[in-house]
Amino acid sequence: QLQFVESGGGLVQPGGSLRLSCAASGFTSDIDVTVWFRQAPGKEREGVSCIRHSGGTQYYAQSVTGRFTISRDSAKNMVYLQMNSLKSEDTAVYYCAKAAPGVLGTQCLRPPYAAWGQGTQVTVSS
């Protein structure tokens, strides 16, 4: 069974930074692509960034390009999301997940996702 645990969320002022962490356990060898997605109250899920485990190719939503950076530590089964220049519209619960099998390119940003954790709350407010 594959499990994800997200951490690192919190309250930050606009313009600030946070680093989210995602710990994967279980059948981690089944993961081809890890995706970070977010969901704000009353809104649909939005894929933020994903990273392909083989080769490390990264993909970003337009809304976060230039501000967020995804990275991975394969030895620790960890994926990180460095978030800079945060805006109020970045407020959401952030989840890491296994992208659906066979996704190509930026398809990894779009649901459905195969598995995800409980999420970590990010609140950007002054």
Side-chain angles (χ1 to χ4, degrees):
Q1 186 176 358
L2 187 60
Q3 292 183 324
F4 295 95
V5 177
E6 303 91 344
S7 62
L11 173 64
V12 63
Q13 292 185 341
S17 298
L18 281 174
R19 187 193 193 210
L20 305 185
S21 297
C22 168
S25 61
F27 297 125
T28 57
S29 59
D30 290 346
I31 306 173
D32 294 323
V33 180
T34 296
V35 56
W36 282 98
F37 70 93
R38 63 189 180 188
Q39 189 161 25
K43 295 188 177 181
E44 296 184 351
R45 293 174 180 173
E46 177 191 12
V48 172
S49 181
C50 41
I51 184 167
R52 189 165 293 279
H53 286 210
S54 177
T57 305
Q58 303 160 21
Y59 304 92
Y60 297 93
Q62 283 189 335
S63 59
V64 306
T65 297
R67 300 188 298 122
F68 290 12
T69 302
I70 192 170
S71 62
R72 177 174 170 259
D73 185 333
S74 59
K76 297 180 179 179
N77 288 323
M78 297 290 294
V79 175
Y80 305 98
L81 186 68
Q82 177 67 42
M83 307 187 296
N84 299 328
S85 302
L86 283 161
K87 306 174 182 179
S88 58
E89 50 262 45
D90 295 319
T91 296
V93 179
Y94 283 71
Y95 302 85
C96 62
K98 173 187 172 182
V103 293
L104 300 174
T106 57
Q107 290 177 347
C108 60
L109 293 172
R110 298 194 288 269
Y113 310 114
W116 57 91
Q118 295 300 308
T120 185
Q121 175 70 47
V122 172
T123 303
V124 185
S125 175
S126 55

